[in-house]
Amino acid sequence: MPCYRCGARQTDPVRGASPWQRGVRNESQVLICPDCQRLHDLDLDSCGTCGSTALICRLGEVECRSCGAVRPARSDDTAVTDSAEAAIPSTPTAPGLSAEVEAALNRVLGRA
């Protein structure tokens, strides 16, 4: 999964904790590269209880890592959008990513 802001792709990590950060934007889990983390306006969703942006989205739920609040993730048809949010493009998909994954699987599984 690439960085949602700049599209940079993760490389194989060195030992230790990853410098990449997780977040939630428009009800979807996103990754933020170390360079983009330096920006102050990441436009991430925030917790309705404590206001923190330390959220994770999994199995249809959004959990705050700061206060522990859990809520169901809104689906696309129930997500609240206003004119400002409508102007923001959704999380980009890296061009050619599916082809790269397919090629890697073919190599690993020995497919022709």
Side-chain angles (χ1 to χ4, degrees):
M1 178 186 289
C3 174
Y4 88 96
R5 288 190 61 93
C6 68
R9 302 273 302 276
Q10 273 185 303
T11 56
D12 288 335
V14 294
R15 289 185 175 231
S18 173
W20 287 63
Q21 179 183 1
R22 291 186 293 178
V24 175
R25 181 170 185 270
N26 296 333
E27 302 295 315
S28 296
Q29 183 84 38
V30 295
L31 286 178
I32 306 126
C33 72
D35 292 334
C36 290
Q37 289 175 36
R38 294 185 193 105
L39 302 173
H40 295 287
D41 183 24
L42 292 175
D43 191 32
L44 298 173
D45 295 353
S46 59
C47 176
T49 304
C50 71
S52 171
T53 58
L55 303 176
I56 54 173
C57 184
R58 60 179 172 222
L59 300 175
E61 293 182 333
V62 176
E63 179 181 346
C64 178
R65 302 207 62 175
S66 294
C67 71
V70 177
R71 66 169 172 79
R74 294 182 299 235
S75 63
D76 289 339
D77 56 336
T78 60
V80 177
T81 58
D82 60 20
S83 58
E85 288 179 352
I88 299 170
S90 63
T91 305
T93 34
L97 179 60
S98 60
E100 288 181 36
V101 170
E102 181 179 7
L105 285 172
N106 287 339
R107 281 192 307 271
V108 170
L109 299 175
R111 295 182 192 155

